[in-house]
Amino acid sequence: MKILITGCAGFIGYHLTVSLLSKKNKIYGIDNLNNYYSVKLKKDRLKNIEDRAKNNKFFFKFKKIDISDFRKLNIFFQKNKFDVVVNLAAQAGIRFSIKKPSQYLKSNVIGFFNLIDLSKNYKIKNFIYASTSSVYGMKNKMPFKENINTDFPLQFYAATKKSNEVIAHSYSSLFNLPTIGLRFFTVYGPWGRPDMAYFKFTKKIINREFIEVYNYGKHSRDFTYIDDVVNSLKIIIKKGFLNKNRNKDNIPYLIYNLGNNLPLKLKNLIKYLETYLKIKSKKKYLSLQDGDVLDTRSNSKKIIRDYNLKFKIKPKKGLENFVKWFKKYHKIR
Ligand SMILES: NC(=O)c1ccc[n+]([C@@H]2O[C@H](COP(=O)([O-])OP(=O)(O)OC[C@H]3O[C@@H](n4cnc5c(N)ncnc54)[C@H](O)[C@@H]3O)[C@@H](O)[C@H]2O)c1
């Protein structure tokens, strides 16, 4: 299968690319390697992919392209005739979307449009893309189910992701393009994203700095381990859009939650990190921040049933794996 993975130097894109490298697949990756967080971390991930492909003689081709650049993307699509597109490139992060919304418009709306439009033009078999649990906003009943109203996003980041789902619906409906949107819930693990709380806390605890605990540590997130996300993505890519799951209007459009349904309280996250780091943290308690939601919890029954998935790793084990990786990567004893 010829698979295009956008954002392949990012956290989820990296793990997915590594796990899809094989004799059977031709993997094409693009990323603009922007400096939202450590470019070194992105380049290290990319080097790992390239080394692994080279050592095993697996096909991997990387191109530094910004998905907002339609002309360059078009040339790449024209040359390579992909079967599947997995769009993981995006400007992620909730707080940064308050500071720099234009970046989200460029990558998450224009970039997304370019990819879905080209996927239509080149008759891609399956267009799979990342959405987010943030589309559920604040007032929704938990665990979140896909069919509840998501018309009231609280952050611009969530608004751009919601717009992806709406654009996908129009393309599936107008052009019969099979699209699968995945609402990820707090994905974490080795090679993770330095802007996320579990990563920032780990760094600060090691440096004996104060960690900022929002909402006095009371809120919770549905932590979903990277291997569970990648294994699910692999099955979805392999099986593709299942016609039996077409919606009632017979449009090849699907939206799924992809989360563990095992929420972890912020204060317990800190406890686990302290245990694995063997360091007591110094905490600065703060009120709930602008744009923050209280809790997230996924009802993932639909995707588990349709694709026969399993989520195996609980936060305790997943965070232990993360801390081990963090120490190794940063050469900390
Ligand atoms: N990690 C999570 O908890 C989580 C939760 C919900 C949704 N998501 C979504 O999943 C996807 C992957 O997230 P991630 O955690 O791996 O984030 P990430 O920031 O590590 O990866 C995104 C990658 O896309 C690249 N990128 C950004 N804008 C680009 C552009 N215009 N052109 C080309 N490349 C660009 C970045 O350089 C980065 O390497 C994103 O769409 C994100 O919004 C992630």
Side-chain angles (χ1 to χ4, degrees):
M1 213 186 302
K2 280 182 153 190
I3 307 167
L4 171 64
I5 301 173
T6 71
C8 68
F11 168 45
I12 302 175
Y14 158 71
H15 283 281
L16 180 67
T17 307
V18 165
S19 81
L20 282 171
L21 291 172
S22 79
K23 289 216 170 71
K24 283 187 263 166
N25 294 328
K26 282 190 167 181
I27 309 296
Y28 299 79
I30 57 181
D31 202 296
N32 67 356
L33 301 174
N34 69 47
N35 65 0
Y36 168 61
Y37 62 76
S38 164
V39 176
K40 182 182 179 301
L41 179 60
K42 293 184 183 179
K43 287 190 171 163
D44 286 346
R45 292 180 185 135
L46 198 55
K47 186 174 179 309
N48 270 359
I49 300 173
E50 284 169 336
D51 286 351
R52 197 178 281 237
K54 203 170 150 201
N55 294 340
N56 296 288
K57 298 197 172 63
F58 295 145
F59 183 96
F60 174 70
K61 183 173 171 183
F62 174 73
K63 193 102 181 154
K64 189 174 169 198
I65 299 180
D66 192 304
I67 57 168
S68 65
D69 186 335
F70 187 85
R71 198 186 58 81
K72 280 195 188 148
L73 262 189
N74 188 26
I75 296 170
F76 203 57
F77 267 74
Q78 199 170 34
K79 267 195 189 152
N80 298 305
K81 310 265 178 299
F82 313 116
D83 298 302
V84 179
V85 171
V86 186
N87 180 30
L88 298 171
Q91 180 56 56
I94 285 169
R95 288 194 190 97
F96 191 58
S97 78
I98 303 171
K99 263 202 236 152
K100 202 127 195 252
S102 57
Q103 196 48 50
Y104 291 72
L105 191 69
K106 189 175 166 210
S107 296
N108 303 8
V109 181
I110 297 170
F112 180 88
F113 164 74
N114 290 342
L115 284 165
I116 199 166
D117 198 47
L118 288 166
S119 296
K120 177 262 290 177
N121 294 348
Y122 290 95
K123 301 198 168 25
I124 301 303
K125 290 187 195 107
N126 288 290
F127 181 80
I128 300 166
Y129 62 96
S131 185
T132 171
S133 59
S134 301
V135 297
Y136 289 109
M138 183 81 99
K139 292 197 183 85
N140 276 315
K141 210 174 89 198
M142 281 200 297
F144 300 145
K145 242 181 135 176
E146 289 90 345
N147 59 3
I148 62 179
N149 193 328
T150 53
D151 285 345
F152 305 101
L154 290 178
Q155 318 92 4
F156 190 63
Y157 166 66
T160 63
K161 291 288 183 179
K162 171 73 187 176
S163 82
N164 290 174
E165 298 181 359
V166 178
I167 293 169
H169 189 271
S170 71
Y171 267 65
S172 295
S173 149
L174 278 172
F175 307 112
N176 210 26
L177 175 74
T179 64
I180 305 173
L182 301 166
R183 292 176 179 163
F184 293 141
F185 283 69
T186 314
V187 187
Y188 74 104
W191 296 95
R193 253 177 47 208
D195 63 324
M196 291 180 71
Y198 72 96
F199 197 116
K200 284 199 281 195
F201 286 174
T202 303
K203 199 169 162 190
K204 289 197 168 171
I205 294 173
I206 290 173
N207 292 336
R208 274 55 176 185
E209 290 169 32
F210 274 90
I211 56 173
E212 296 189 330
V213 185
Y214 297 136
N215 194 27
Y216 309 97
K218 280 189 274 184
H219 59 235
S220 64
R221 293 287 175 271
D222 196 346
F223 269 66
T224 311
Y225 192 61
I226 184 66
D227 291 3
D228 286 330
V229 170
V230 165
N231 289 334
S232 304
L233 275 167
K234 276 176 78 177
I235 295 172
I236 296 163
I237 292 168
K238 195 169 168 209
K239 293 190 178 167
F241 188 94
L242 302 171
N243 270 320
K244 68 177 171 68
N245 299 326
R246 273 177 184 254
N247 67 17
K248 58 182 182 329
D249 305 319
N250 204 25
I251 296 168
Y253 165 85
L254 284 168
I255 290 287
Y256 288 111
N257 286 338
L258 191 57
N260 223 341
N261 196 3
L262 275 179
L264 179 68
K265 282 240 175 298
L266 188 54
K267 60 174 193 230
N268 290 334
L269 162 70
I270 298 167
K271 247 197 241 160
Y272 288 145
L273 293 177
E274 289 178 337
T275 307
Y276 300 130
L277 289 167
K278 300 189 191 83
I279 304 170
K280 187 102 190 97
S281 66
K282 295 196 244 172
K283 300 178 200 68
K284 191 166 142 195
Y285 289 101
L286 298 170
S287 58
L288 194 69
Q289 299 292 292
D290 276 354
D292 253 10
V293 295
L294 283 175
D295 303 300
T296 66
R297 182 170 189 170
S298 171
N299 174 331
S300 303
K301 283 186 186 151
K302 189 170 140 192
I303 200 163
I304 289 173
R305 181 199 62 210
D306 287 358
Y307 286 94
N308 200 13
L309 304 181
K310 278 200 181 76
F311 296 92
K312 293 183 184 156
I313 306 287
K314 302 213 163 68
K316 204 173 165 194
K317 177 72 192 148
L319 287 167
E320 187 179 5
N321 293 350
F322 168 74
V323 168
K324 273 189 198 150
W325 167 80
F326 188 97
K327 286 175 138 179
K328 195 171 164 212
Y329 181 71
H330 294 97
K331 301 188 174 66
I332 298 164
R333 277 157 203 258

